[in-house]
Amino acid sequence: MTETRDDTFVSGYLLYLLAASSEEASAQFHDHIRAQGLRVPEWRVLACLVDNDAMMITRLAKLSLMEQSRMTRIVDQMDARGLVTRVADAKDKRRVRVRLTDDGRALAESLVASARAHEARLLSALADTDAARIKGVLRTLLDVLDRPAEGA
Amino acid sequence: MTETRDDTFVSGYLLYLLAASSEEASAQFHDHIRAQGLRVPEWRVLACLVDNDAMMITRLAKLSLMEQSRMTRIVDQMDARGLVTRVADAKDKRRVRVRLTDDGRALAESLVASARAHEARLLSALADTDAARIKGVLRTLLDVLDRPAEGA
DNA sequence: TCGATTTATATGATTTTTCATATTTCTGAC
DNA sequence: GTCAGAAATATGAAAAATCATATAAATCGA
């Protein structure tokens, strides 16, 4: 247990705490995703589309925190698996809208339900004050980050 | 600005908030890392070694949130670049200790200084209450996650 | 002390990811 | 309308990450 004690730079560094929390908090649920034969990026796409079907590839990529060319290929694979279909946008032919198939929607909804349950378990493991604060703090951080930003 | 309004599942989902915060908070600094000709995983190794030189590959991998075989190859490259050297552990010959070279240490220390400065800027962009809370909340989450865990 | 097990690292093969760029379509200035 | 540039997607080639497993060294029990 008594690893090299931790008053180190890394253990208190905000970007480390964020990366590690994200990684570890997601690990269990990501295992669940993979157990369903999906990869994590595919799950992210499904979750986005449940919220808002027929998104463009570009927006899907932004929301799923990944590059456009990667998203293109992920959509390829999901299309091949019958989870989504590509639909041309009538107004703008450059755009590709990604739409859930019935299978895709069913899977997505079931996974969202699992995700909610898993999240509830995570939050219930925290003290009430922490559980109440965590999302707010993260949202605030995201807000700050989305603003133009003045300094380097 | 008025993207499809956001009272969606994803935008309030803890694992998304964590991943997005981590991603976006790190983006600027990671650009800085790459501008120095380093990749992010290499920076992580340097940061770990500044805290605690001559770590084993396995421990380095765990702390840097990546797989062992990947860490082996990253150490290969850092070794080739003259940032670290491999040192056999006298007590246990299976172990490989990774030690900073002088160049590696100089680079690492300079990057840690930048990291601290960047972190200070991030925190100062938050309201005092949020800045005061964020690390504590994340640490609590990490603590909870490291505990055995009872339910599925 | 022998053999079985576990731990630490490395490696080959495959799959992902990235990077740069091509292609198509749209937009705006003229 | 035409042209220059921007935006959305796709794709080839290269780099990186993963997975399974090999190798080597330690540990634990009988």
Side-chain angles (χ1 to χ4, degrees), chain A residues 39 42 72-82 86:
Chain A
R39 285 169 307 154
E42 294 174 326
T72 287
R73 295 188 225 246
I74 285 166
V75 170
D76 285 347
Q77 295 172 325
M78 295 179 75
D79 191 339
R81 284 193 52 180
R86 271 180 231 253

Side-chain angles (χ1 to χ4, degrees), chain A residues 106-120:
Chain A
L107 179 55
E109 282 171 355
S110 132
L111 289 174
V112 168
S114 307
R116 287 189 196 278
H118 176 256
E119 179 185 61

